[in-house]
Amino acid sequence: MSLKLRLATTLAVTFCLLLAAGAFLALGQAQRRVSAELEAARSVASNRVAQALAELPASRQPVVDLEAFARSFNGDRHVQMMLIDSKGIVRAASQLAGDSGPIPDWFLTLVAPRSRTVVMPLTGRASPFVAAAVSIDPRNEVSEVWTDLALALLTVVASVLAGFVAVYLVAGRALRPLRDLEAAFSRIGAAGPALRLREAGPPEVRALARGFNAMAARLDDISVSNRRLSEHLLHLQDEERAELARDLHDDVGPLLFAVDVDASTIKRAALKAGEGETATRAGAIQANAHRARQELRRILGNLRPGLLPGLGLKAMVEDMAGTLAQRHPETQFVLDLADGDFGGPLETMVFRAIREAVSNALRHGEPRRVTIRVGPRGDVLRFAVTDDGGGLPESGTKGGFGLVGMAERLQAAGGRLTVEHVPLPPGVRVTGEAPLPGTARKGAGEEPAPEKNGQGPDGFAAEGTGREAAQ
């Protein structure tokens, strides 16, 4: 239940309780008012009857005077005077005032006291009347009370409803900025920390907006710091890789070359001396040294992906795919690569992410087809590596530490990396993007239009539009 609805419900319950308490108090006051009024009317009527009976012996026409006395009560709101003969029949009675309005029976029963009739005996001079009866009727008084209570109740209900509507509208207007705050919290991850809220509404809501804006500003500073730190770490790693590559090339490379030369010399000398076993061993050493030099060149290429200066990202991916195609002849590598100079740091980071994704596909699956796509999309450089090697493992992990590290680098650079399962054929798709630098697309040309057969789920041209790497 929303805060606005809870507030409205609380107010409604409170108003109902107040109305119930007010009605209870008003009902008690009405009972006391009606009882006091009827008791006063009974007392006055009894005194008048007693006085009339006291004057009856001196009357010359007692019957006429009694009838006139009974008619004197005509129009009274509460008292009805009746003259009763010896048979118990009312021979004369006054007329009550007309009802002021309809009264609910339950209200009459609840408010009016029990009706009583006072009977006073008459002397023989009043014959044929033998008694005078005074009856108190509460209907007129109760009708007046009912009218007053209904009017008061309507006034209170109207006031309560007006107050409820006013509070509901004011609360809704005051809480409206909270919806903007909630939406901002849900969008800050996608929209970035540059998102800001307009400081409006009550002081408390404005304080929340100021706190959110301050948090977004701090996140913006942290994002910039993380990006600089990531670039610095990447630079340090490149330097370490370059230094290690130089050491391997300058120290290990000559040693392997010397082993190769010495083994070749030993092999020739053994052949001249007729020592076949020694020549065979020397030939094996020479072959192993040759393979070690090939592996050293491969390691140097992995340590320094920038060994292809001026060729760009496309050439690096093509060279990697060609090497892998030779080592994995059962796997078909399909390339869809855009031309362009996207900047050395960005190309290096994207190339490493692609290399890590392809290595994972070959290491953890048995793909028959690996598709690599790279191209600019708006203000970002996007890439996708899709394989049909069987999909994600049952553990649900989405890549090892290599992809996690690349995801952190891309995120620090303002990009993102996603790993998802491909249902048919079962495989894995690694998709990433990173923002292009200011001059990244200079000379890159327009973004290639998608093929007529549509675009794949990764946003690039559909399968089969790229060219295959040499087997």
Side-chain angles (χ1 to χ4, degrees):
M1 183 182 294
S2 64
L3 179 60
K4 183 178 179 181
L5 187 57
R6 287 200 300 266
L7 181 60
T9 303
T10 302
L11 290 176
V13 172
T14 302
F15 288 154
C16 290
L17 292 176
L18 290 176
L19 284 175
F24 181 77
L25 295 176
L27 187 61
Q29 181 65 25
Q31 289 176 339
R32 291 189 293 272
R33 171 183 169 182
V34 171
S35 296
E37 184 70 18
L38 296 182
E39 187 62 29
R42 183 182 294 107
S43 177
V44 171
S46 298
N47 291 335
R48 288 182 59 187
V49 172
Q51 184 179 359
L53 293 180
E55 296 175 353
L56 189 61
S59 176
R60 296 181 179 179
Q61 297 178 332
V63 175
V64 175
D65 292 339
L66 282 175
E67 291 177 348
F69 178 72
R71 288 194 299 271
S72 67
F73 285 90
N74 285 340
D76 194 283
R77 297 179 62 248
H78 308 306
V79 180
Q80 183 181 25
M81 178 67 183
M82 297 174 290
L83 298 176
I84 304 172
D85 60 11
S86 58
K87 296 181 179 180
I89 300 175
V90 177
R91 302 293 297 272
S94 62
Q95 299 295 323
L96 288 170
D99 293 341
S100 58
I103 310 169
D105 293 336
W106 62 267
F107 187 75
L108 180 63
T109 305
L110 192 62
V111 174
R114 183 174 298 177
S115 180
R116 292 189 304 170
T117 300
V118 180
V119 179
M120 299 179 181
L122 300 177
T123 62
R125 295 199 54 184
S127 180
F129 305 127
V130 298
V134 177
S135 176
I136 306 299
D137 190 338
R139 296 186 62 85
N140 284 310
E141 185 65 26
V142 173
S143 177
E144 183 178 348
V145 171
W146 169 255
T147 302
D148 294 342
L149 283 180
L151 182 60
L153 183 63
L154 289 176
T155 303
V156 172
V157 169
S159 302
V160 167
L161 289 177
F164 177 80
V165 172
V167 171
Y168 186 81
L169 294 177
V170 171
R173 185 172 182 179
L175 295 177
R176 189 178 300 119
L178 292 181
R179 293 197 296 269
D180 299 335
L181 183 63
E182 178 186 4
F185 271 113
S186 63
R187 296 199 314 270
I188 191 169
L195 180 65
R196 296 294 186 272
L197 280 179
R198 185 172 62 90
E199 299 179 6
E204 296 82 359
V205 178
R206 290 200 300 271
L208 287 176
R210 284 194 298 269
F212 177 86
N213 292 336
M215 179 195 68
R218 288 194 296 271
L219 288 177
D220 197 3
D221 296 338
I222 293 173
S223 178
V224 173
S225 299
N226 288 340
R227 186 174 302 179
R228 292 175 179 173
L229 179 60
S230 176
E231 293 175 355
H232 182 64
L233 290 176
L234 186 59
H235 180 68
L236 291 179
Q237 288 180 354
D238 289 339
E239 289 183 351
E240 291 178 355
R241 288 171 177 265
E243 184 177 359
L244 180 58
R246 285 193 298 268
D247 292 340
L248 290 174
H249 182 270
D250 297 340
D251 297 337
V252 180
L255 292 176
L256 291 176
F257 178 74
V259 171
D260 190 3
V261 173
D262 291 343
S264 177
T265 302
I266 294 173
K267 179 180 179 181
R268 287 195 301 270
L271 289 176
K272 289 181 180 180
E275 297 178 359
E277 181 68 21
T278 302
T280 302
R281 295 292 182 181
I285 294 174
Q286 185 182 13
N288 290 332
H290 183 68
R291 285 196 295 270
R293 291 172 65 188
Q294 290 180 338
E295 288 299 318
L296 178 61
R297 284 195 294 270
R298 182 185 63 81
I299 294 174
L300 290 176
N302 290 335
L303 287 175
R304 298 190 63 182
L307 287 177
L308 302 171
L311 297 182
L313 177 61
K314 181 178 180 181
M316 288 190 289
V317 175
E318 289 176 345
D319 182 75
M320 178 195 69
T323 302
L324 292 175
Q326 294 177 1
R327 297 175 59 188
H328 300 274
E330 73 282 356
T331 303
Q332 180 186 19
F333 293 87
V334 180
L335 306 181
D336 185 5
L337 310 175
D339 291 319
D341 182 8
F342 307 108
L346 176 60
E347 291 182 349
T348 301
M349 180 171 58
V350 171
F351 174 75
R352 285 173 173 164
I354 293 174
R355 184 179 62 189
E356 184 66 31
V358 174
S359 298
N360 279 351
L362 297 174
R363 187 183 304 117
H364 302 294
E366 297 180 356
R368 301 300 300 266
R369 181 186 181 96
V370 176
T371 304
I372 304 174
R373 293 188 172 89
V374 181
R377 291 280 166 179
D379 296 332
V380 299
L381 179 63
R382 188 171 188 185
F383 63 91
V385 178
T386 307
D387 68 81
D388 57 357
L392 295 171
E394 296 181 358
S395 60
T397 58
K398 295 188 176 182
F401 292 106
L403 283 179
V404 172
M406 293 311 304
E408 293 176 351
R409 288 183 181 178
L410 287 171
Q411 186 176 5
R416 63 185 179 89
L417 183 76
T418 58
V419 182
E420 58 184 342
H421 175 73
V422 178
L424 290 175
V428 178
R429 179 184 295 114
V430 179
T431 307
E433 62 183 33
L436 290 165
T439 58
R441 300 192 63 180
K442 187 176 181 180
E446 295 298 328
E447 181 181 346
E451 297 293 329
K452 293 182 180 181
N453 56 351
Q455 295 183 346
D458 54 4
F460 290 83
E463 293 282 351
T465 62
R467 66 177 184 81
E468 298 179 4
Q471 298 295 318

